[in-house]
Amino acid sequence: MILALLYPIGYMIYASFLDWSPSQRIGQAEFIGIRNYINLLGDAAFRESFWVTIRFAAIVVTLEMIVGVGLAMLLDRNIRGMVLLRTVFILPMMIAPIVVGLMWRYMFHPTVGIFNRMLKSFGFEGIPWLADSTWAFIAIVIADVWQWTPFIFILALAATQSLPRSALEAAEIDGANEWQKIVMIKLPLMMPVLIVTLMLRLIDVFKVLEVILVLTNGGPGLSTEILALRIFRTAQEFQELGEAAAMSNMLLMMLMVLTIGMFVYNRVKEAHVAQRRAVIEKDND
Amino acid sequence: MPRIRLENLVKRYGDFEVLHGINLEMEENEFTVFVGPSGCGKTTTLRMIAGLETVSDGEIYIGDRPVSQLEPKARDLAMVFQDYALYPHMNVAKNMSFALRLQRRPRKEIDEKVGLVAEMLGLTKFLHRKPGELSGGQRQRVAMGRALARDAGTFLFDEPLSNLDAKLRCQMRAELAIMRQKVRKNMIYVTHDQIEAMTLGDRIVVMNGGYIQQQGTPEELFKQPANKFVAGFLGSPPMNFLGAKIQDLGGQVFVSGDGFEVALPEERASVALGHSASSVILGIRPSDLHFSPHAPDHEAIDLKVIVSEYIGAQSVLLCNCGAQKIEVELKSETPIALGETLRFAVNREAIHLFDSETEVAIG
């Protein structure tokens, strides 16, 4: 188990110290130390890609959290047809990313795509969805939000439905309106679930590849070239396996920071609880 | 504080009617207890008054104001829930001040109010704890404190003591009675426990099957139950019921059945005779049967002891009266043997008679 886990990672770390092209066997590649990493840090394209990734992750996850949690709050009630509606909401998540990419590429198409056709029928001009760097970024954000909001939605919905009903009724009698109930009772009680959801989503968003590959292939320019895509292209097109491995490691480290952050958060909370317990037991003695 | 009046209150779930037109008036500052077995509609009635259940038909008046269409917060009430319903993420002080904070009262006033209530309930030490860090009894107090801090006109209690163990329940019941003396407000209290109902209530409303069976002071209900259900529900150990007939035997009227024949006192006799059906149910409380070996025949009943339950100073004996079962109380030191036949004098003034068809009290 540990071997299965560590072998690929060890392999990748070793590869990141090599100047290695696909035509060579790994033994034939030249060992160049940390030069791959130094190259990367000096590489403007890599830095650009890094920032695109951060920006993409921040915007996408923020939007998904707001929309997903908001929808969960709205749909947490017993109206007829709600079961069907909920099922429809989680459909996007079940579609293969490649298909999602193809679908959105078609919808964003400048002449036959549904968005531009709609805009034109209202008398507006079409938008160069995938040809303009700003719009292309917006386009991939839309596609990702469309696909992954349901993930947050179902987790948030499960969290709202497990909230203690009587506490909410008590809040109602205490005079809280719907909004106050959400802000003062529901969200604080859902927070542990929401934080884990956020972390899972963050870790995932750094690895998104297929949808963007199909939609824009990183262009125009480097405007939508997120790290995963850059790694893919470095290995495939530029045949720089060592550099790709180095990049992967950087990504891995970023994710590690997030994961460790989550771990530390949990630990701090546990310690806090344990500390309070100790104080209380002392009180009770 | 205002009077509360329920007028023809009906609750339906789909086509299923669970409350069939409840009419009730509660006086100002009265402590009213709704009591009845599970599913009798008492909690539903309370939740309708609170505004947590919709009213299918009829109206609720608080003062002169119809409130059935108002939001809970517009009804000026505070409620204590069965599972306490504390806000788990807030400490005790925050829990108790929640309503006041929503009303944007000045900070100083809130602190004073919370301090006062905490003092009264002995919670001052725990103000900074979260509900998860409190014992059951303490949580119960916080729930009570949250209702008190609000200063609402009406207090609703939904089986507030039923999650506590027996000893704590007794203790909290006494505390509630003390609190009741300090706080003069309308209080409506739901319970399935007849002892809570008897000890706390100014007025008891006995419910069963979605109907009010009877309402009145604890004493009225205990002494003059309107029907067999109320008679059997209040009192512990419960009232005994025996199938019987009314017979006029040469000037004296007897109520007799399998294994007993007791003369009715004169004032009861005429009413009993006037009753159309001759078959009735005789109701007699265990406390109205006294061990008395030399009692005269027409005032006594002979019972064969089957089981003796020792509960301290008193024992409860389960006996056979003919083929029917009957419970009596006896001082534990009385020397008796199982299988022995004992004579008990009947307190004839305390005999209850019910129609065997309708189970309504006769006379």
Side-chain angles (χ1 to χ4, degrees):
Chain A
M1 174 75 174
I2 288 174
L3 193 74
L5 209 68
L6 290 185
Y7 181 77
I9 294 177
Y11 194 86
M12 192 172 73
I13 291 172
Y14 176 60
S16 70
F17 297 124
L18 302 177
D19 180 12
W20 182 24
S21 80
S23 57
Q24 295 168 306
R25 272 198 267 154
I26 194 162
Q28 298 167 332
E30 188 189 348
F31 189 86
I32 54 169
I34 59 166
R35 212 186 308 152
N36 277 333
Y37 291 92
I38 292 168
N39 282 349
L40 278 182
L41 292 179
D43 180 359
F46 171 76
R47 285 205 307 262
E48 175 63 23
S49 174
F50 184 82
W51 285 119
V52 168
T53 308
I54 298 276
R55 215 163 62 218
F56 179 72
I59 293 175
V60 152
V61 172
T62 309
L63 281 176
E64 284 168 9
M65 285 302 283
I66 292 171
V67 178
V69 174
L71 277 178
M73 294 292 171
L74 274 178
L75 296 184
D76 174 31
R77 57 193 67 187
N78 294 319
I79 310 173
R80 209 172 300 156
M82 195 48 77
V83 177
L84 184 74
L85 200 60
R86 282 179 200 151
T87 316
V88 170
F89 263 114
I90 60 174
L91 269 179
M93 228 171 69
M94 304 181 198
I95 305 173
I98 290 281
V99 179
V100 172
L102 287 171
M103 203 174 71
W104 281 94
R105 190 162 82 176
Y106 195 71
M107 291 201 287
F108 283 133
H109 192 280
T111 51
V112 299
I114 184 155
F115 292 119
N116 276 1
R117 282 222 315 263
M118 241 160 66
L119 283 173
K120 278 173 191 159
S121 74
F122 288 124
F124 295 104
E125 266 192 39
I127 289 171
W129 286 107
L130 303 176
D132 175 85
S133 56
T134 312
W135 284 112
F137 188 79
I138 293 171
I140 60 170
V141 166
I142 292 176
D144 195 85
V145 168
W146 180 83
Q147 196 186 9
W148 287 107
T149 299
F151 172 76
I152 289 164
F153 167 70
I154 49 170
L155 288 181
L157 189 67
T160 54
Q161 287 177 342
S162 63
L163 292 177
R165 289 286 129 182
S166 61
L168 291 169
E169 286 178 347
E172 225 167 279
I173 288 182
D174 274 346
N177 57 32
E178 281 304 314
W179 179 247
Q180 287 166 325
K181 260 175 18 189
I182 289 173
V183 174
M184 301 174 82
I185 312 282
K186 288 187 184 177
L187 285 181
L189 288 180
M190 287 163 67
M191 210 36 91
V193 175
L194 293 185
I195 285 174
V196 172
T197 309
L198 177 78
M199 290 294 184
L200 287 175
R201 210 39 221 120
L202 266 179
I203 289 170
D204 221 43
V205 79
F206 281 106
K207 299 183 300 188
V208 59
L209 173 68
E210 297 99 321
V211 175
I212 299 175
L213 180 74
V214 175
L215 261 183
T216 65
N217 196 18
L222 295 176
S223 58
T224 60
E225 192 180 76
I226 59 153
L227 268 184
L229 188 56
R230 179 149 191 92
I231 294 167
F232 177 72
R233 292 180 63 191
T234 308
Q236 286 291 316
E237 290 173 27
F238 315 142
Q239 313 254 311
E240 296 279 0
L241 292 190
E243 208 174 304
M247 250 187 265
S248 297
N249 283 339
M250 304 270 257
L251 187 59
L252 184 70
M253 276 190 284
M254 245 160 70
L255 295 183
M256 288 280 268
V257 169
L258 280 177
T259 316
I260 289 169
M262 189 160 142
F263 183 73
V264 168
Y265 168 81
N266 277 337
R267 267 303 163 86
V268 167
K269 247 186 120 172
E270 270 168 32
H272 188 64
V273 169
Q275 205 183 353
R276 285 185 69 96
R277 283 273 143 73
V279 170
I280 283 155
E281 264 158 35
K282 222 161 87 191
D283 272 12
N284 288 343
D285 285 342
Chain B
M1 291 297 128
R3 274 192 338 194
I4 298 177
R5 190 153 56 88
L6 311 182
E7 203 176 83
N8 255 325
L9 205 59
V10 172
K11 178 70 191 178
R12 284 182 217 99
Y13 293 105
D15 290 336
F16 188 63
E17 194 171 288
V18 293
L19 278 184
H20 320 278
I22 298 289
N23 284 297
L24 190 62
E25 218 165 290
M26 293 163 252
E27 295 300 325
E28 281 175 40
N29 296 338
E30 207 171 34
F31 196 119
T32 308
V33 180
F34 292 172
V35 65
S38 331
C40 71
K42 55 191 191 301
T43 296
T44 308
T45 310
L46 187 80
R47 288 173 59 86
M48 282 162 88
I49 297 172
L52 297 172
E53 297 279 352
T54 55
V55 172
S56 309
D57 225 326
E59 188 54 79
I60 300 166
Y61 295 92
I62 298 183
D64 293 322
R65 197 164 61 124
V67 298
S68 69
Q69 302 305 320
L70 297 181
E71 295 271 308
K73 62 180 168 187
R75 302 187 185 194
D76 185 31
L77 8 106
M79 182 157 168
V80 178
F81 289 79
Q82 181 173 4
D83 61 355
Y84 318 136
L86 300 176
Y87 311 123
H89 58 297
M90 297 182 197
N91 64 25
V92 171
K94 286 265 159 60
N95 258 289
M96 296 209 292
S97 63
F98 187 70
L100 298 174
R101 284 186 286 134
L102 286 177
Q103 293 168 15
R104 302 197 183 287
R105 300 276 190 89
R107 175 104 194 240
K108 195 164 155 255
E109 187 194 326
I110 294 177
D111 289 347
E112 259 172 36
K113 190 87 207 173
V114 169
L116 212 70
V117 173
E119 176 89 40
M120 177 171 148
L121 294 169
L123 287 169
T124 313
K125 235 178 91 180
F126 309 110
L127 281 177
H128 296 289
R129 290 215 193 151
K130 298 229 173 116
E133 299 157 352
L134 298 172
S135 69
Q138 289 164 345
R139 277 181 224 178
Q140 171 60 52
R141 281 203 191 93
V142 177
M144 217 86 92
R146 187 172 63 184
L148 286 173
R150 265 209 69 176
D151 238 346
T154 303
F155 285 78
L156 308 177
F157 299 86
D158 183 12
E159 309 210 18
L161 305 184
S162 59
N163 280 11
L164 301 175
D165 61 54
K167 194 177 162 203
L168 206 51
R169 195 179 312 156
C170 267
Q171 190 190 331
M172 287 304 293
R173 200 170 65 213
E175 283 186 27
L176 253 174
I178 295 169
M179 184 201 86
R180 166 74 190 122
Q181 290 166 5
K182 292 186 196 154
V183 184
R184 301 308 288 183
K185 294 270 171 86
N186 295 334
M187 302 204 179
I188 305 177
Y189 188 104
V190 163
T191 180
H192 59 262
D193 183 274
Q194 52 101 9
I195 297 180
E196 271 172 41
M198 299 289 272
T199 51
L200 291 171
D202 296 328
R203 176 202 298 270
I204 297 180
V205 179
V206 180
M207 295 181 73
N208 191 32
Y211 292 99
I212 291 183
Q213 300 292 321
Q214 191 178 3
Q215 51 157 316
T217 64
E219 199 182 350
E220 277 168 16
L221 264 59
F222 190 76
K223 293 201 167 150
Q224 290 145 22
N227 57 38
K228 188 183 163 213
F229 177 82
V230 175
F233 194 79
L234 299 177
S236 168
M239 187 184 277
N240 295 297
F241 297 107
L242 299 167
K245 279 190 161 38
I246 304 290
Q247 284 173 316
D248 191 350
L249 298 175
Q252 199 157 29
V253 178
F254 285 86
V255 54
S256 60
D258 187 8
F260 65 94
E261 193 170 62
V262 180
L264 282 174
E266 261 170 52
E267 68 274 14
R268 305 290 307 277
S270 54
V271 184
L273 270 184
H275 190 70
S276 55
S278 63
S279 137
V280 296
I281 298 167
L282 164 71
I284 184 84
R285 294 194 187 277
S287 52
D288 290 320
L289 293 165
H290 306 287
F291 178 57
S292 166
H294 307 298
D297 281 351
H298 70 285
E299 290 180 9
I301 186 165
D302 291 320
L303 303 172
K304 188 177 166 203
V305 182
I306 319 170
V307 177
S308 166
E309 289 176 325
Y310 177 81
I311 49 170
Q314 294 273 15
S315 289
V316 175
L317 305 183
L318 179 66
C319 306
N320 264 344
C321 173
Q324 308 182 78
K325 299 266 186 297
I326 185 167
E327 277 187 333
V328 294
E329 286 176 313
L330 191 63
K331 283 219 169 78
S332 290
E333 63 258 34
T334 318
I336 53 139
L338 293 185
E340 198 178 352
T341 298
L342 306 174
R343 170 158 287 205
F344 284 82
V346 178
N347 177 4
R348 294 185 302 151
E349 307 300 323
I351 285 178
H352 299 270
L353 295 174
F354 304 98
D355 186 297
S356 58
E357 289 284 317
T358 60
E359 302 192 343
V360 174
I362 302 168

